[in-house]
Amino acid sequence: MPAYRAVEELVRDQDQPRPDLTGIPETALWTVYHRAAEAARPDTVLPDPRAVRLVQELDFPFRARLGAARPWVAQAIALRALGFDGVVREFLAAHPDGTVIALGEGMETQFWRVDNGRVRWVTVDLADPLELRLRVLPHGARQRPVACDIRDRRWLDGIDASRGVLVTAQGLLMYLQPAQVHQLIADCAENFPGGTMVFDTVSRRFSARTRAGGQGPGGHRLPPMPWGVDPAEREALRTVHPAVTELRDIPLPAGRGLLGYAASHAAALPFLRKNRPLITRLRFAAAPAGHRAGGA
């Protein structure tokens, strides 16, 4: 399959959306399944009616393929999304006409949760999951889908960075090799001066577990995750590119019950401090005077 395809080739006439995703792309279905389970609760931490509708409307045997949605996993997935939402809202408060580039967005419905009516939104994903996304989540004029492997630098073309850029990668980078992650960060630093990037990672222990064929949260077997980092190792990302000027940990928002408390205080709890998923925000240096921002 070509790494880059025209979006017009992706939309097909089908009455009922019937996902046929496997491997890493199937994790998009696992994520929206759990996010919808949390959103359906009356005491949800993340209202997400679009996710609920997606799970109801997709012709996919969620329970048979992915198992029962366990409440603690569903809340954890929702809290991660809520943490990313907070970063996007903070960015849009400073750059209301800015561009958000969502890498590997899958079935994420973040645009509709944070839309300020002005943001420009670019979704970069592989052809098959993007085709499904365009069928079940109709996009408007401010949303631009790009069918491209994120390791292919062509997705950087045509991005207007003049009003600010935020690159998000939720549930994605752990599936890349470390060298590929470093190259991606360097590409963003070079192409989006003054921009921001936010992504999540798994711990080295969890990465090793998936590579050994172990089960993930809730008992579902996830694809191998080659890239795992611990908090101390994350500091090395400051040296990936000279334009990386800030690295900040984004704690999960407070949630419901014991899990909700532990998630938001994980950095202070000895048994979780070194073995927890992380959300990291990077900031890139502004361009020198006279430099034109944007993809090359």
Side-chain angles (χ1 to χ4, degrees):
M1 177 185 299
Y4 188 94
R5 288 169 53 188
V7 169
E8 290 77 5
E9 299 176 10
L10 301 179
V11 184
R12 301 170 183 166
D13 262 337
Q14 295 188 15
D15 293 332
Q16 294 188 342
R18 184 173 299 173
D20 186 21
L21 305 178
T22 58
I24 295 173
E26 189 186 60
T27 63
L29 299 173
W30 183 85
T31 302
V32 73
Y33 176 45
H34 284 85
R35 207 167 65 247
E38 170 63 30
R41 294 178 59 108
D43 58 350
T44 183
V45 300
L46 183 73
D48 197 345
R50 284 183 182 269
V52 175
R53 288 202 301 272
L54 277 177
V55 171
Q56 292 172 342
E57 295 171 0
L58 286 171
D59 183 11
F60 183 80
F62 283 96
R63 189 182 182 94
R65 283 273 289 271
L66 307 178
R70 302 190 183 187
W72 71 270
V73 179
Q75 185 184 181
I77 292 295
L79 289 175
R80 181 184 71 174
L82 193 60
F84 273 77
D85 286 0
V87 175
V88 176
R89 289 191 175 101
E90 182 180 341
F91 168 76
L92 292 180
H95 307 278
D97 296 301
T99 298
V100 174
I101 306 170
L103 304 180
E105 195 168 23
M107 296 295 104
E108 177 56 69
T109 52
Q110 185 179 63
F111 172 82
W112 293 274
R113 296 196 302 266
V114 303
D115 182 25
N116 65 352
R118 297 161 64 179
V119 62
R120 304 292 173 174
W121 200 275
V122 180
T123 296
V124 182
D125 214 332
L126 297 174
D128 287 345
L130 186 58
E131 175 191 330
L132 176 63
R133 179 179 179 83
L134 294 178
R135 293 210 312 268
V136 300
L137 292 169
H139 284 35
R142 290 181 289 109
Q143 294 168 276
R144 175 189 164 204
V146 177
C148 188
D149 188 315
I150 64 165
R151 295 166 295 186
D152 185 328
R153 298 183 77 255
R154 281 180 286 179
W155 68 265
L156 295 159
D157 295 343
I159 301 292
D160 178 8
S162 62
R163 296 178 178 85
V165 167
L166 169 64
V167 180
T168 73
Q170 185 177 175
L172 175 66
L173 300 192
M174 60 282 295
Y175 296 108
L176 301 182
Q177 296 295 329
Q180 294 171 335
V181 175
H182 293 177
Q183 184 61 57
L184 177 65
I185 293 173
D187 287 341
C188 290
E190 288 184 6
N191 284 270
F192 309 127
T196 305
M197 184 176 187
V198 61
F199 53 88
D200 63 314
T201 54
V202 297
S203 68
R204 289 186 64 190
R205 182 180 298 179
F206 190 79
S207 168
R209 182 177 176 181
T210 64
R211 287 182 281 118
Q215 293 182 333
H220 179 59
R221 192 175 296 268
L222 297 173
M225 300 179 180
W227 190 49
V229 296
D230 294 335
E233 296 171 312
R234 175 176 57 177
E235 291 299 311
L237 296 178
R238 295 179 184 272
T239 65
V240 166
H241 192 277
V244 176
T245 58
E246 179 186 311
L247 185 153
R248 178 186 169 191
D249 179 63
I250 304 297
L252 290 177
R256 180 182 60 249
L258 180 60
L259 171 69
Y261 176 86
S264 61
H265 293 81
L269 299 174
F271 60 97
L272 290 176
R273 186 180 301 133
K274 295 183 179 180
N275 187 34
R276 59 187 172 98
L278 303 170
I279 301 178
T280 302
R281 187 185 72 190
L282 303 178
R283 292 193 189 276
F284 306 132
H291 176 84
R292 182 179 179 181

